[in-house]
Amino acid sequence: MTSPTDPSKSVRDVLPRPNTAFRQLRGRLSPGEFAAAVRRAAREIGEQVSCDARYVGRVEAGEIRCPNYAYERVFRHMFPGLTPADMGFAPREWVRGRGARTQTGAAPPAAPPEHRDHITESCEESDVLRRAFMTGGPAAALGIAGLAPLGSVPATRATAAGLPGAAPAGGTRHVGGAEAAAVEDAVRRIRLLDDRHGAEGIYRRAAQPLRAAYALLDAGAQRQSVADRLHSGAGELAISVGWLAHDSGRFGDARSHYAEALATARVAGDPALESHAFCNTAFLARDAGRPREAVRAAQAAQHAAKHLSSRRLLSLLALREAGGWAGLGDRAACEAALLRAHHLFARGPSDADPEWMSFYGEAELAGLEAQCWSALGEQGRAAEHARRAVALQDPHFTRNTALYTAELAGNLAHSGAPDEAAAAGLRALDLLGEVGSARIRSMLAGTARTLRPRRRIPVVADFLDRQALAAARTA
């Protein structure tokens, strides 16, 4: 019997096949939970990987047949004694074709046209994408340098750099799997940076890959599978950029980006993208002071998601609805939505959970519930949930830790605990050294206004002075 990694097999025989060995290593964890475990393991050895549920799914589906060097080190750390082959991966030199060149003195045989996308994507370190994401400039810091809009880079320069945005010398370029993968990777990297550092400093630079993604859509793809990935990727990128605008306090821009994502979802007939766009629209509406719109958008998201088989997604959408009801002062409706959110969350994760929901765990559930009770005027109860959110938060999500800590400070200030509120506010200010978020700064400014009459308390005075200094630096 021929080994799955036998280099004597033909190109047609190396098309993606499920990596059952890696699937067994995941065990009973959902893809999102396993991705979180990968990120934790990476931090333990000083690596940085943007692993999410989609990456795990691509490995298990056989689309990623060898990990890059960073992922290989992380996987070896997670599973001591196992080699990449034991984990179901193919030899790196064979996947990238070097073995064939060394043995025969010539490049491996070309793949048939209908299979070239698969071969291009077979290794995450494919030369096209690796060069694309290592070119210079500020976009490279986001991992999105490869998303230059079609025609925006002179062909000679772009071709030399290996950019997916480059047009071949012969004329119209082919939009294929490499371009779709570039869009998807941009989404992952932007989310990773946002989780760690917040939206400020990222938003303006993220507009370029978004324009490029829609330029790729306009150019068209010959294969329907690639066109579907481009629609989904462009829509998710619009949502990510919209969120960066939202967290930066640019509500008008955020609304426009979410509407663009929703239109993309409707055109593509993609209910998963539609539910995500409505989810973020509901969140934005609540923060913008339009609670009834928040309720309607959350309900529309639930309608779009009803056949997606993700209880965790429906739980989050119920929380979005609860936030709208809280803003309207409808306690009964809010409590009913919260109860539904908890019931759905308790049913556990599943393989159907969207990759973008990696942030949604017990900490986020507690944090969103804290916001509901705060809006209903129950600051003590809100503080309990905010404290729980801080305690449960995965350190990977630095921005969310800062957010929940700032929420806790505000809840404590309003519930008559100025010492604790100031201490929490100081911790949030410490985190703002790593995170740029206008939303969090606004929350801390509100806490400072509430605590100002208690300046005689030393810890309160310390918080007020530091908050004023931080505000002056960003003015």
Side-chain angles (χ1 to χ4, degrees):
M1 181 176 178
T2 305
S3 167
T5 59
D6 185 348
S8 66
K9 293 175 73 71
S10 69
V11 172
R12 287 183 182 273
D13 292 327
V14 296
L15 294 177
R17 64 179 62 185
N19 185 338
T20 55
F22 197 84
R23 174 62 186 89
Q24 290 175 354
L25 292 174
R26 174 159 68 87
R28 300 181 64 181
L29 295 177
S30 73
E33 290 172 328
F34 186 78
V38 172
R39 295 193 300 269
R40 285 193 295 271
R43 290 195 297 273
E44 290 171 2
I45 61 173
E47 286 289 356
Q48 292 188 6
V49 297
S50 53
C51 188
D52 57 20
R54 186 178 180 88
Y55 177 89
V56 175
R58 292 184 67 203
V59 171
E60 293 178 0
E63 294 179 19
I64 295 174
R65 295 172 49 233
C66 70
N68 67 19
Y69 292 107
Y71 274 108
E72 180 177 332
R73 285 189 288 271
V74 174
F75 293 150
R76 286 180 181 273
H77 174 65
M78 294 176 69
F79 307 110
L82 295 186
T83 67
D86 296 330
M87 302 175 202
F89 293 116
R92 187 182 311 278
E93 65 275 7
W94 175 56
V95 172
R96 296 187 66 176
R98 292 175 182 170
R101 291 186 180 94
T102 301
Q103 294 169 19
T104 68
E114 65 271 24
H115 297 310
R116 282 176 187 154
D117 286 339
H118 290 292
I119 301 303
T120 300
E121 291 184 57
S122 62
C123 177
E124 191 198 38
E125 279 200 317
S126 70
D127 288 337
V128 172
L129 292 180
R130 182 172 58 82
R131 287 198 301 268
F133 290 112
M134 292 180 68
T135 51
L142 290 172
I144 52 182
L147 290 175
L150 298 176
S152 67
V153 182
T156 52
R157 289 176 50 201
T159 303
L163 295 177
T172 304
R173 61 185 307 279
H174 170 63
V175 178
E179 286 72 27
V183 175
E184 293 162 352
D185 198 61
V187 175
R188 295 188 195 100
R189 290 171 185 259
I190 287 173
R191 286 174 181 163
L192 179 64
L193 284 172
D194 175 54
D195 289 339
R196 292 177 178 171
H197 305 296
E200 292 183 338
I202 304 176
Y203 172 60
R204 291 301 185 192
R205 287 181 286 171
Q208 170 74 2
L210 180 59
R211 288 193 296 269
Y214 278 94
L216 290 172
L217 272 180
D218 287 341
Q222 294 180 0
R223 298 180 59 184
Q224 186 59 46
S225 61
V226 173
D228 290 343
R229 287 177 61 190
L230 282 172
H231 273 94
S232 177
E236 290 293 342
L237 191 55
I239 292 172
S240 292
V241 176
W243 165 248
L244 297 179
H246 181 170
D247 197 44
S248 300
R250 300 175 175 92
F251 289 176
D253 289 354
R255 188 179 180 88
S256 175
H257 289 307
Y258 293 158
E260 186 172 38
L262 182 58
T264 303
R266 292 282 177 82
V267 167
D270 186 339
L273 179 59
E274 182 176 345
S275 65
H276 191 186
F278 272 128
C279 176
N280 279 42
T281 298
F283 194 10
L284 174 65
R286 190 209 66 174
D287 283 359
R290 298 191 299 271
R292 195 169 300 281
E293 179 184 329
V295 170
R296 290 196 298 267
Q299 290 172 342
Q302 291 170 76
H303 178 76
K306 65 182 178 181
H307 297 305
L308 297 179
S309 303
S310 173
R311 302 302 178 187
R312 285 287 168 92
L313 173 57
L314 292 173
S315 173
L316 175 60
L317 298 177
L319 282 170
R320 295 284 187 247
E321 182 182 342
W325 289 123
L328 289 168
D330 192 331
R331 182 189 178 103
C334 178
E335 288 185 331
L338 286 173
L339 182 64
R340 191 165 71 253
H342 278 278
H343 173 71
L344 289 163
F345 187 89
R347 297 179 68 173
S350 74
D351 290 350
D353 296 338
E355 62 169 304
W356 58 266
M357 286 188 62
S358 57
F359 70 92
Y360 185 54
E362 289 185 86
E364 183 74 5
L365 176 62
L368 292 177
E369 184 167 359
Q371 294 172 6
C372 290
W373 292 119
S374 179
L376 290 170
E378 296 201 22
Q379 301 300 334
R381 197 167 181 178
E384 292 176 12
H385 288 283
R387 188 177 282 110
R388 175 175 168 78
V390 172
L392 292 172
Q393 184 57 60
D394 183 334
H396 166 77
F397 296 102
T398 310
R399 193 273 317 286
N400 281 4
T401 302
L403 172 66
Y404 300 148
T405 306
E407 286 180 354
L408 175 60
N411 297 147
L412 290 168
H414 285 290
S415 59
D419 301 66
E420 289 184 82
L426 287 168
R427 292 195 297 273
L429 285 170
D430 288 338
L431 289 168
L432 278 183
E434 306 173 42
V435 174
S437 171
R439 190 163 58 118
I440 296 173
R441 289 203 310 273
S442 177
M443 294 169 66
L444 290 173
T447 300
R449 287 192 295 271
T450 303
L451 291 178
R452 204 161 285 136
R454 313 299 294 271
R455 175 177 274 279
R456 291 184 178 182
I457 301 173
V459 68
V460 173
D462 189 14
F463 166 69
L464 292 175
D465 290 342
R466 283 192 56 193
Q467 188 276 329
L469 180 61
R473 285 174 176 170
T474 56

